[in-house]
Amino acid sequence: MRGSIRVMIASSFLLLALGGRVFGQEQVSLADLEKALYHQGFEQVHIRERGDSLQVFFEHREFRNPIHSMEYASRILEQYSPAGLSYVPLYHNQPMGEYAADRSWTAELTREDYRYFKANNKFSDYRFHIRLVPSIAANFGYYDKPVRAKTSLILDTRWYFMEGISLQSGLLIPIQNSLDAQDLQPRLAPSQLSIFRHLARSHYAFLSLGTFFNNRYGGDLQYRFAPINGRWSFGAELALTGYYHIQDGKFYTEVMDDLMLTADVEYRTPIEDVSLKLTAGQFLYEDIGARLDMIKQFGNVDIGLFGSVSKAGTNIGFQFAFPLWPGKILRGRKVELRTTEEFRWEYSYNNEDLVNQSFRTGMPRLSDITRQYNGHFIRGK
């Protein structure tokens, strides 16, 4: 119902437009189409004519899954667009690839596509987003207290100020804590300077500097080779971090000398939307080992099982990731209040030994990002 109302509003907006080109039975301009999409939460909307077809560049930060954002755009444009319609979704101000509106094909971007994007990229096209992000850590199975948990709510935002470069920060509000001795005073949320790059064709890089989840601070560099239509992808991660802690309004740190260096290979199996990922190397606390993940994508939801072995011991567990309801809460022309597009949680059976420990930054890992944009997933094949 809510989606139908949105489309009706967008359609009414277009009916008022005066034109430069005929789409269906209505005469509207490309600028009017861009405004209609922007009104529905799309950002960095740039529509490019290519003969009798349209190529639509956009970013929509409310959707975790690009399929949903493209389907939503098609519902808005379907009465006015020509038969040839393709999308170039952006992630973190970087174009990820080109996708047919009917999901019949996917393709790498051309140099001409990149030149068009760079010429039209405007940081004023982004709204000021305020995200509501729950943060939950829990241990289970203790005799005296079966569940020990630490729950907080994060209010954060991300500013884009250069191509692919942003600053994220916010306020962490503790709700309850039976897991450790940290106080319940509001404090600075994990804050990072992030640089995301979609390099030539299938190469990606992501650098993050600042404070992270799991009480880590320092730098994290990720690289990934992920062909848009390939079943294999490869990645590496280098991180140098230290421990930090905020207590009684004071910021405590330890020496930044914990080196993490890992490499991984991931295979998207012919089984529908199931991927296998093997990661090996040195994890936190100089723990050398390997981890195998099996991940199943259910549209907007990822569910995974994993097993780990290292010098510290063995471990098994599960993880999941999904967007939080309701998404948009309030949206204005330049400001939006919403829930997070991705809530990720992982549970390990072995809570005592630090087996293949890692940490979360303020963005998903590169493998989790590129998996969403893989052509086999988009086309449902």
Side-chain angles (χ1 to χ4, degrees):
M1 181 68 179
R2 178 179 167 186
S4 299
I5 293 174
R6 287 183 176 182
V7 174
M8 290 173 62
I9 293 172
S11 299
S12 299
F13 181 88
L14 287 174
L15 288 172
L16 297 176
L18 297 177
R21 179 171 174 171
V22 176
F23 297 96
Q25 300 301 315
E26 303 297 333
Q27 190 179 42
V28 296
S29 68
L30 296 183
D32 293 321
L33 296 177
E34 292 177 353
K35 290 178 182 178
L37 290 172
Y38 185 80
H39 183 72
Q40 296 302 315
F42 292 81
E43 301 170 300
Q44 285 292 348
V45 182
H46 310 294
I47 302 180
R48 176 187 178 195
E49 290 188 89
R50 295 191 305 184
D52 61 351
S53 65
L54 294 182
Q55 185 185 46
V56 183
F57 290 73
F58 73 84
E59 186 163 353
H60 201 308
R61 290 185 278 170
E62 184 181 325
F63 293 100
R64 178 175 183 267
N65 184 338
I67 295 175
H68 293 176
S69 60
M70 290 186 283
E71 289 179 344
Y72 187 33
S74 292
R75 291 172 62 191
I76 296 172
L77 300 177
E78 62 184 353
Q79 300 180 52
Y80 308 95
S81 63
L85 180 64
S86 65
Y87 294 109
V88 180
L90 311 179
Y91 185 86
H92 199 81
N93 192 240
Q94 291 288 279
M96 300 298 288
E98 185 174 10
Y99 305 85
D102 60 5
R103 294 165 60 177
S104 61
W105 56 266
T106 57
E108 299 279 3
L109 296 172
T110 66
R111 291 183 178 179
E112 185 181 354
D113 295 329
Y114 280 109
R115 284 196 294 266
Y116 177 84
F117 167 71
K118 289 178 178 293
N120 291 275
N121 192 19
K122 300 176 182 177
F123 301 103
S124 59
D125 288 346
Y126 283 108
R127 292 179 174 87
F128 182 84
H129 279 227
I130 302 173
R131 293 194 312 170
L132 305 180
V133 185
S135 177
I136 301 173
N139 286 338
F140 301 89
Y142 294 98
Y143 178 78
D144 60 332
K145 187 176 291 187
V147 179
R148 296 180 179 179
K150 185 176 183 178
T151 307
S152 305
L153 178 65
I154 296 174
L155 303 178
D156 70 3
T157 191
R158 182 180 293 279
W159 299 278
Y160 293 91
F161 54 91
M162 291 181 67
E163 183 182 334
I165 303 178
S166 70
L167 181 65
Q168 176 177 312
S169 188
L171 179 68
L172 185 147
I173 305 172
I175 298 174
Q176 64 84 221
N177 182 13
S178 58
L179 185 64
D180 56 34
Q182 192 168 24
D183 62 50
L184 296 180
Q185 294 184 23
R187 53 185 176 270
L188 182 70
S191 305
Q192 309 101 38
L193 174 69
S194 299
I195 304 174
F196 178 64
R197 284 284 189 268
H198 184 180
L199 306 171
R201 309 292 275 179
S202 305
H203 301 272
Y204 300 84
F206 172 41
L207 173 65
S208 187
L209 303 170
T211 59
F212 311 124
F213 290 86
N214 309 89
N215 295 104
R216 310 305 297 180
Y217 82 98
D220 179 82
L221 175 63
Q222 300 174 55
Y223 162 79
R224 190 152 208 89
F225 173 71
I228 195 171
N229 289 312
R231 291 194 178 274
W232 292 92
S233 66
F234 307 89
E237 181 173 4
L238 171 65
L240 182 63
T241 64
Y243 175 82
Y244 88 97
H245 188 73
I246 300 177
Q247 182 78 1
D248 298 325
K250 298 180 180 179
F251 195 93
Y252 300 91
T253 63
E254 294 183 358
V255 177
M256 190 172 65
D257 60 357
D258 198 345
L259 179 67
M260 187 175 80
L261 178 60
T262 62
D264 73 82
V265 56
E266 181 170 328
Y267 176 62
R268 177 175 288 274
T269 71
I271 302 172
E272 185 176 359
D273 299 328
V274 173
S275 298
L276 296 175
K277 179 185 176 186
L278 178 63
T279 307
Q282 178 168 294
F283 294 82
L284 292 179
Y285 314 115
E286 300 182 353
D287 186 29
I288 297 175
R291 166 171 165 155
L292 178 65
D293 287 83
M294 182 177 69
I295 303 162
K296 167 67 175 176
Q297 293 172 266
F298 296 92
N300 243 351
V301 179
D302 289 0
I303 298 177
L305 303 174
F306 69 86
S308 295
V309 59
S310 75
K311 293 193 305 181
T314 60
N315 200 2
I316 59 173
F318 65 88
Q319 61 171 323
F320 52 79
F322 59 91
L324 287 186
W325 185 87
K328 183 201 75 174
I329 299 173
L330 295 171
R331 178 183 295 144
R333 186 171 176 270
K334 289 297 181 181
V335 178
E336 179 166 335
L337 173 65
R338 62 178 175 88
T339 53
T340 181
E341 70 280 7
E342 179 176 288
F343 173 72
R344 181 174 294 272
W345 196 73
E346 181 176 297
Y347 176 72
S348 299
Y349 176 76
N350 186 343
N351 291 325
E352 300 297 330
D353 300 319
L354 300 176
V355 180
N356 292 348
Q357 289 288 299
S358 184
F359 58 90
R360 290 190 298 116
T361 65
M363 289 174 59
R365 309 202 94 75
L366 267 183
S367 59
D368 297 320
I369 296 170
T370 56
R371 191 181 304 118
Q372 299 294 316
Y373 291 87
N374 184 271
H376 294 285
F377 177 54
I378 298 293
R379 297 192 304 274
K381 296 180 179 179

